[in-house]
């Protein structure tokens, strides 16, 4: 791990802070001695017989394509996201990759024909290697939930798919950011972080951005205000163990109980519990009716991409590596997180009740138990 961290750090003779799992480590980096004129290297022009092969150099870098977004998995989620992204005008280049190359090609053709009504962008399909120049690669590839199936049921199938995709993306694009949407998103984002070799700041799961949006929408309907005026978060797993952080929920800075009292709106525990249950179970309800969810998650992914490409330092509930947070360490789950051009800038410590913090710890334990089934090397 330390060797990998060394490779990632900039080549300069200086102390660098590197995060290895949840541990910050200072490493003395030594820049390689420059070769003297006439010398091919430090070995008098002779190749060192035991020197390991250098890793293949990526042919493209995100700096050359600052608004290229690659999408791996052009199914319901990936293609809807591509459409939202095209309409947003945030990306000048959109690459679609899918195991079903014909599907990706068809989606790219269809999207390209929307360009005259949208914002100018290059849209094409290609192999994983072309993720090389992308500022952000969004992974939405894999099996989706079937009716009655939980997100955690999907783990085995999708982890195997990620073990193919992630190393290829990371080796083509070691300087980019990966956003994971495939479920179970927290477990797969953690797997991506561990097998990609990328720093945790550059591996993000869409997490509860969708659940938080559903929660705000339902609260907004109950209290009769614009959902954008409701500030409330769903934390933890994107799934059955997620936690509503009622302690931090407010409308225009007013706690929900105060807002309800001041506006003559009921604020009973039963109504609030129903709002949370509708939030938590929304995917099951939608999948039962239309077979998949796609629009809201796609909109959430566009929002994540906007925060990164525009370096907005936006607070979003996304999944990232959690360290020393209410006793939780070394799992990916969602808490309010500041996102900017470098990916995760920091996570915010919400003031939670003891019950909420305990719910979050239980969610983390469940995720950790699932991560353990992946049989990764100990970190
Ligand atoms: P889908 O079946 O419509 O699309 C999945 C696509 O992945 C298919 O086109 C398939 O060919 C492709 N694929 C499979 N293996 C691949 C590989 N090795 N390389 C490249 N492409 C590959 O499914 P969907 O409805 O788009 O859902 C995709 C994932 O997103 C699922 O895991 C689903 O549960 C998840 N999802 C997440 C959220 C969220 O909030 N994070 C919301 C909705 C769905």
């Amino acid at each position: 791990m330390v060797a990998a961290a060394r490779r990632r750090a900039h080549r300069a003779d200086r102390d660098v802070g590197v995060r290895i799992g949840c541990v910050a480590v200072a490493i003395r980096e030594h820049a390689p001695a420059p070769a003297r004129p006439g010398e091919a290297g430090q070995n008098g022009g002779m190749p060192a017989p035991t020197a390991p092969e250098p890793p293949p150099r990526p042919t493209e870098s995100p700096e050359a394509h600052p608004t290229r977004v690659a999408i791996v998995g052009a199914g319901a989620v990936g293609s809807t996201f591509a459409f939202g992204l095209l309409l947003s005008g945030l990306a000048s280049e959109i690459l679609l990759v899918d195991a079903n190359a014909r599907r990706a090609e068809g989606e790219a053709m269809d999207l390209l024909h929307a360009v005259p009504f949208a914002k100018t962008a290059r849209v094409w399909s290609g192999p994983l290697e072309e993720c090389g120049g992308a500022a952000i690669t969004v992974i939405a590839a894999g099996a989706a939930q079937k009716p009655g199936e939980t997100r955690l049921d999907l783990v085995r199938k999708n982890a195997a798919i990620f073990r193919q995709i992630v190393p290829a993306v990371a080796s083509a694009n070691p300087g980019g950011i990966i956003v994971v949407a495939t479920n179970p998103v927290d477990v797969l984002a953690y797997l991506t972080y561990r097998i990609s070799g990328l720093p945790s700041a550059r591996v993000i799961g869409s997490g509860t951005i969708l659940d938080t949006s559903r929660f705000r929408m339902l609260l907004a309907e109950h209290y009769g205000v614009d959902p954008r005026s409701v500030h409330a978060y769903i934390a933890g797993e994107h799934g059955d163990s997620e936690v509503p952080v009622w302690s931090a929920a407010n409308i225009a800075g007013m706690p929900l109980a105060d807002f309800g009292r001041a506006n003559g709106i009921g604020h009973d525990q039963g109504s609030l519990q129903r709002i949370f249950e509708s939030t938590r179970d929304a995917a099951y309800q939608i999948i039962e009716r239309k077979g998949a969810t796609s629009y809201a998650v796609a909109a959430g992914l566009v929002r994540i991409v906007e925060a990164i490409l525009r370096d907005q330092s936006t607070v979003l509930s996304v999944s990232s590596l959690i360290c020393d947070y209410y006793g939780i360490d070394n799992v990916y789950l969602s808490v309010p997180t500041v996102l900017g051009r470098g990916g995760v800038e920091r996570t915010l410590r919400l003031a939670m009740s003891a019950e909420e913090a305990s719910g979050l710890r239980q969610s983390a334990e469940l995720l950790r138990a699932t991560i353990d089934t992946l049989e990764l090397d100990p970190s």
Side-chain angles (χ1 to χ4, degrees):
M1 286 295 287
V2 172
R6 278 178 183 280
R7 277 198 300 278
R8 287 201 294 267
H10 291 295
R11 287 277 150 221
D13 208 2
R14 62 195 180 121
D15 286 328
V16 291
V18 175
R19 238 182 208 295
I20 298 173
C22 283
V23 184
V25 182
I27 296 174
R28 188 74 183 158
E29 276 286 332
H30 299 287
R36 285 199 296 262
E39 281 187 356
Q42 291 173 310
N43 204 23
M46 296 292 288
T50 53
E53 281 290 309
R57 291 181 66 79
T59 49
E60 299 220 68
S61 71
E63 290 78 31
H65 302 274
T67 59
R68 175 185 291 183
V69 176
I71 303 169
V72 183
V77 172
S79 60
T80 311
F81 164 57
F83 185 52
L85 187 64
L86 178 67
L87 296 183
S88 75
L90 288 164
S92 61
E93 298 179 287
I94 301 174
L95 164 66
L96 293 171
V97 181
D98 199 286
N100 180 347
R102 293 278 292 168
R103 165 85 192 251
E105 195 179 15
E107 295 290 357
M109 288 161 71
D110 198 3
L111 285 162
L112 199 58
H113 302 159
V115 167
F117 306 113
K119 309 277 181 352
T120 305
R122 183 180 164 226
V123 185
W124 79 108
S125 65
L128 273 175
E129 294 66 42
E130 290 188 25
C131 295
I136 305 173
T137 300
V138 175
I139 307 182
Q145 257 171 292
K146 305 230 165 37
E149 197 175 37
T150 71
R151 292 180 182 93
L152 293 181
D153 289 335
L154 286 177
V155 73
R156 225 171 275 279
K157 281 188 246 178
N158 287 344
I161 290 172
F162 269 54
R163 288 181 199 273
Q164 294 173 342
I165 294 173
V166 170
V169 171
S171 102
N173 191 350
I177 289 175
I178 297 181
V179 174
V180 176
T182 307
N183 279 319
V185 66
D186 304 288
V187 173
L188 294 177
Y190 184 85
L191 176 67
T192 300
Y193 156 61
R194 289 295 308 280
I195 65 180
S196 65
L198 299 187
S200 58
R202 289 199 271 118
V203 179
I204 301 159
S206 60
T208 59
I209 193 168
L210 175 56
D211 316 69
T212 291
S213 161
R214 289 171 173 152
F215 192 44
R216 290 171 66 201
M217 184 68 230
L218 292 168
L219 287 169
E221 280 179 351
H222 182 78
Y223 289 101
V225 293
D226 184 336
R228 290 171 300 181
S229 304
V230 177
H231 305 285
Y233 292 98
I234 298 287
E237 179 204 1
H238 167 55
D240 297 343
S241 71
E242 65 190 31
V243 178
V245 189
W246 295 110
S247 308
N250 70 82
I251 297 170
M254 296 170 80
L256 298 181
D258 294 355
F259 186 90
R261 251 192 309 277
N263 293 279
I265 298 164
H267 182 78
D268 57 295
Q269 281 311 309
S271 306
L272 297 187
Q273 182 60 20
R274 275 191 295 282
I275 286 174
F276 168 59
E277 284 169 9
S278 301
T279 301
R280 185 193 58 200
D281 301 338
Y284 297 115
Q285 299 294 327
I286 298 168
I287 289 169
E288 213 174 87
R289 288 162 175 78
K290 61 169 266 198
T293 66
S294 51
Y295 298 117
V297 61
L301 291 168
V302 173
R303 189 65 191 91
I304 292 171
V305 166
E306 180 185 15
I308 296 170
L309 293 186
R310 299 239 167 114
D311 199 15
Q312 289 174 330
S313 299
T314 307
V315 179
L316 295 171
S317 58
V318 292
S319 189
S320 70
L321 184 68
I322 298 300
C323 300
D324 191 21
Y325 195 98
Y326 285 103
I328 300 167
D329 257 312
N330 199 26
V331 289
Y332 264 63
L333 55 71
S334 292
V335 295
T337 303
V338 184
L339 289 187
R341 185 78 208 188
V344 173
E345 291 175 1
R346 60 194 185 282
T347 53
L348 303 181
R349 199 180 159 86
L350 281 177
M352 291 187 191
S353 67
E355 194 188 341
E356 290 160 355
S358 155
L360 195 67
R361 279 191 292 274
Q362 282 172 26
S363 190
E365 280 162 22
L366 192 121
L367 288 166
R368 171 42 65 187
T370 311
I371 287 166
D372 288 344
T373 68
L374 300 174
E375 297 179 350
L376 292 162
D377 292 338
S379 56

